[in-house]
Amino acid sequence: MQQKIFLKRSTRKTIWFYIFILPSILGFLAFVVYPVGRSLYLSFTDMQLTRPDEMKWVGLKNYLALFSGKDPFFWQALKNTFIYAVCNIVGTLALGLLSAMLLNVRVKGQNIFRTIFYVPSLLPAVATAIMFRWVFDPTNGIINTILRAIGISNPPIWLEGASTALLTLIIISLYAFGGKMIIFLTGLNGINRSYYEAAEIDGAGYWYKFVKITLPLLSPIIFYNTIMGTIGALQVFTEGFVVSGAGPGNSTLFYVLRLYNLAYQEPYRLGQASAMAWVLFVIIGAITAVYFIFSKYFVFYENEGK
């Protein structure tokens, strides 16, 4: 009898478990699985947002159109995105690590300084983009006002120039290194001080300790930040859409911005935009796979004794 009661209780718990997770499962199916599957299907059609009833199956035509040059903006957008991504990843990693090491030094008001450095990364992306558009305004912006005050009579026009627009967006993107800084701080706090003490006894200097101790033990953190930074940077959209659009001469036409323009501007080619989305998915997946393949050569895990 006791065994039957136990089984009934177990069954009730199982039922309640599934009842409680049902909203999450339904949400995942409705807002993740279905849109992903639908976009894959649409990528093989000539779907237009304004004429859904006229949709036809076209096979690989959308993909061939992208790589054959029929879309004159595909390669330009891909190039801009890769340049932005490389600079953003390297810049935010360097700033995040440098600021983490400086803020890891025990000084009075340490937590206040950490908060000041981290807060900018919490600001809404759209609001920040609008703010920086004003900061880099060639006529009334703070940057050019300062440059004129120190004697530079002809300062750059930043977002208005084809040669400087992409560079300006890269500079703007570097402000949000706070997330990486916090992760680096966590990694630095996890390094056993005995390594540094042993190195100091042997007469090791600061640079030697940084290269031989800090970097190897932070390599898993660097690896994680690199992967997450790559995924985020290759999907850059807000900076281009809000701050500069495609920019002069399409100099800031990013991949996702081009995808958005294809889908939601005339002639609303949702099928081709879906194909672009899946190409980006494959690119990100391939780059991530390469990271993992080569990680065994530069990622050091202390507990594995490598």
Side-chain angles (χ1 to χ4, degrees):
M1 177 64 99
Q2 291 180 351
Q3 185 177 3
K4 290 182 180 179
I5 294 174
F6 174 76
L7 290 174
K8 288 181 180 179
R9 287 180 179 177
S10 176
T11 302
R12 286 201 301 270
K13 288 182 178 180
T14 302
I15 293 172
W16 279 110
F17 168 77
Y18 284 110
I19 289 175
F20 279 120
I21 68 169
L22 184 61
S24 296
I25 294 175
L26 293 177
F28 178 75
L29 292 174
F31 299 111
V32 178
V33 175
Y34 174 74
V36 168
R38 180 68 173 171
S39 71
L40 180 60
Y41 171 75
L42 291 178
S43 71
F44 297 103
T45 70
D46 63 352
M47 172 70 170
Q48 288 184 268
L49 195 61
T50 54
R51 293 197 292 251
D53 297 335
E54 300 177 13
M55 179 180 67
K56 295 179 182 178
W57 182 269
V58 295
L60 296 175
K61 183 178 178 181
N62 289 326
Y63 294 93
L64 294 175
L66 294 175
F67 292 103
S68 65
K70 290 183 179 179
D71 181 355
F73 303 109
F74 174 77
W75 292 108
Q76 178 68 37
L78 195 61
K79 175 186 173 184
N80 291 341
T81 303
F82 268 99
I83 293 173
Y84 172 91
V86 171
C87 295
N88 174 266
I89 294 164
V90 174
T92 53
L93 280 175
L95 289 173
L97 179 57
L98 176 62
S99 57
M101 295 186 68
L102 291 174
L103 295 173
N104 199 43
V105 178
R106 295 189 179 277
V107 294
K108 188 176 181 180
Q110 182 186 54
N111 291 333
I112 296 175
F113 287 113
R114 288 179 176 180
T115 303
I116 291 172
F117 275 79
Y118 180 63
V119 163
S121 64
L122 299 177
L123 298 176
V126 174
T128 305
I130 294 172
M131 177 190 71
F132 275 112
R133 181 169 182 80
W134 173 70
V135 168
F136 284 95
D137 183 272
T139 306
N140 301 312
I142 294 175
I143 300 296
N144 278 4
T145 300
I146 294 173
L147 292 177
R148 292 189 188 97
I150 62 176
I152 301 177
S153 58
N154 220 4
I157 55 176
W158 303 111
L159 294 166
E160 308 298 328
S163 60
T164 56
L166 183 58
L167 174 62
T168 306
L169 288 187
I170 291 171
I171 294 172
I172 291 173
S173 73
L174 298 181
Y175 84 95
F177 63 85
K180 293 183 176 65
M181 179 196 73
I182 292 296
I183 298 174
F184 277 129
L185 271 172
T186 304
L188 288 170
N189 290 328
I191 298 177
N192 196 321
R193 295 298 305 173
S194 62
Y195 294 120
Y196 295 106
E197 292 168 359
E200 289 169 0
I201 292 173
D202 291 336
Y206 180 83
W207 179 250
Y208 183 89
K209 289 186 291 183
F210 174 74
V211 173
K212 297 297 184 178
I213 299 175
T214 305
L215 282 183
L217 293 178
L218 281 181
S219 57
I221 305 296
I222 297 172
F223 181 55
Y224 171 80
N225 277 334
T226 301
I227 289 178
M228 299 307 295
T230 300
I231 294 172
L234 289 176
Q235 298 180 80
V236 57
F237 173 76
T238 304
E239 288 83 351
F241 182 74
V242 177
V243 179
S244 63
N250 292 313
S251 57
T252 60
L253 178 64
F254 293 124
Y255 191 94
V256 177
L257 179 58
R258 174 56 182 164
L259 186 158
Y260 173 87
N261 291 341
L262 270 176
Y264 300 110
Q265 291 184 2
E266 186 69 31
Y268 305 104
R269 295 195 292 264
L270 198 59
Q272 191 172 347
S274 297
M276 281 192 70
W278 278 94
V279 169
L280 181 61
F281 172 79
V282 172
I283 290 173
I284 293 176
I287 293 174
T288 303
V290 171
Y291 283 158
F292 275 98
I293 290 171
F294 287 96
S295 65
K296 60 183 178 181
Y297 298 111
F298 61 85
V299 178
F300 174 87
Y301 294 100
E302 185 180 3
N303 58 354
E304 294 182 2
K306 294 184 179 179

